[in-house]
């Protein structure tokens, strides 16, 4: 089977969009990821799947921690930035909580220590044990990704 067929089929599964962040050598580092899932309530575990070619892959291996920032509908530009799809770099302001850089306007910030990891093909599944969660009080719609395009609820 060719890669395009696989990606087209996987693109039929609508997801939210997250930016996985961590602190590395005193600086914030982020990567856009939609391969994110809630895993377990006891203990509280989530998982992100990170490609071996991504710089974030080795960084999370070294830092042993990450945060998952669930993007709101007006944060498409941040998603493109952290996917390396914008031509120019741009400054991003992070809040710092317990050594984690987090995106303050995200719908939710899920702070984790790496619980375990599992190499699966050309990606590694990083399971995170959740240590803190922050959420906005005001309601907000998520940024969605479907058929390789950004969408929003009702669109
Ligand atoms: P880099 O290429 O080093 O960084 C990515 C970008 O983020 C660069 O432009 C960099 O300048 C910017 N950046 C990083 N930190 C900062 C900072 N502190 N301030 C400002 N800018 C900063 N890949 C996966 O492995 N798993 C997934 O689940 C996944 N899902 C994706 C979902 C979507 C919707 C998209 C568009 C892409 C997805 N990708 C996924 C691909 C992944 O986002 C890109 O391959 C990414 O560029 C790999 O990041 P990297 O760690 O190599 O980072
Ligand atoms: P796309 O049309 O390639 O994505 C559709 C779906 O295919 C994604 O939601 C994901 O489920 C799957 N997918 C795509 N690339 C994959 C990969 N390398 N490994 C495993 N699953 C993958 O989306 P696009 O707009 O062309 O994506 C932009 C870039 O981001 C591409 O380079 C793409 O490979 C990458 N991306 C990677 C992942 C991932 O690694 N899990 C997910 C989404 C996008």
């Amino acid at each position: 089977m060719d890669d395009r067929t696989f990606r087209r089929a996987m693109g039929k599964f609508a997801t939210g969009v997250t930016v996985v962040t961590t602190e590395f050598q005193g600086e914030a580092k982020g990567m856009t990821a939609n391969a994110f899932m809630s895993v377990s309530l006891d203990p509280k575990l989530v998982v992100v799947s990170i490609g071996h070619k991504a710089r974030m892959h080795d960084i999370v291996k070294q830092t042993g921690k990450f945060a998952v920032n669930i993007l709101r509908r007006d944060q498409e530009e941040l998603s493109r930035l952290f996917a390396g799809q914008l031509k120019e770099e741009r400054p991003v302001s992070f809040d710092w909580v317990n050594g984690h850089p987090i995106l303050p306007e995200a719908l939710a910030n899920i702070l984790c220590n790496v619980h375990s990891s599992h190499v699966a093909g050309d990606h590694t599944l990083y399971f995170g044990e959740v240590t803190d969660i922050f959420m906005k009080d005001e309601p907000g719609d998520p940024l969605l990704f479907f058929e390789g395009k950004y969408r929003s609820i009702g669109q």
Side-chain angles (χ1 to χ4, degrees):
M1 185 198 311
D2 62 290
D3 291 359
R4 201 167 152 266
T5 303
F6 180 85
R7 282 163 65 159
R8 271 191 63 220
M10 296 308 127
K12 301 287 181 194
F13 185 60
T15 66
V17 182
T18 78
V19 173
V20 175
T21 51
T22 195
E23 177 271 336
F24 183 59
Q25 297 177 342
E27 292 190 0
K29 161 85 188 137
M31 187 198 97
T32 300
N34 70 342
F36 163 69
M37 188 174 76
S38 167
V39 172
S40 160
L41 263 182
D42 184 20
K44 297 197 171 39
L45 300 177
V46 297
V47 67
V48 290
S49 175
I50 302 187
H52 293 166
K53 288 188 188 147
R55 269 182 278 253
M56 191 58 132
H57 180 270
D58 288 355
I59 291 177
V60 169
K61 200 177 188 177
Q62 285 182 53
T63 63
K65 61 182 184 180
F66 61 88
V68 178
N69 302 268
I70 300 177
L71 298 188
R72 54 198 307 144
R73 70 189 290 176
D74 60 1
Q75 291 184 307
E76 180 178 328
E77 195 176 60
L78 275 185
S79 174
R80 292 187 189 281
L81 173 71
F82 287 110
Q85 293 174 340
L86 294 186
K87 284 200 183 102
E88 67 285 357
E89 300 267 314
R90 56 190 68 174
V92 176
S93 51
F94 293 90
D95 281 352
W96 286 83
V97 182
N98 300 335
H100 284 271
I102 58 172
L103 295 170
E105 301 308 326
L107 283 181
N109 314 99
I110 302 157
L111 280 53
C112 307
N113 289 327
V114 173
H115 166 275
S116 53
S117 63
H118 179 82
V119 175
D122 56 12
H123 280 56
T124 297
L125 304 177
Y126 284 104
F127 292 87
E129 180 149 16
V130 179
T131 55
D132 270 306
I133 285 183
F134 301 95
M135 275 182 287
K136 289 271 169 289
D137 286 336
E138 67 266 24
D141 280 349
L143 180 62
L144 303 179
F145 194 64
F146 175 62
E147 292 184 334
K149 293 194 179 71
Y150 293 101
R151 315 280 181 127
S152 53
I153 287 174
Q155 198 184 27

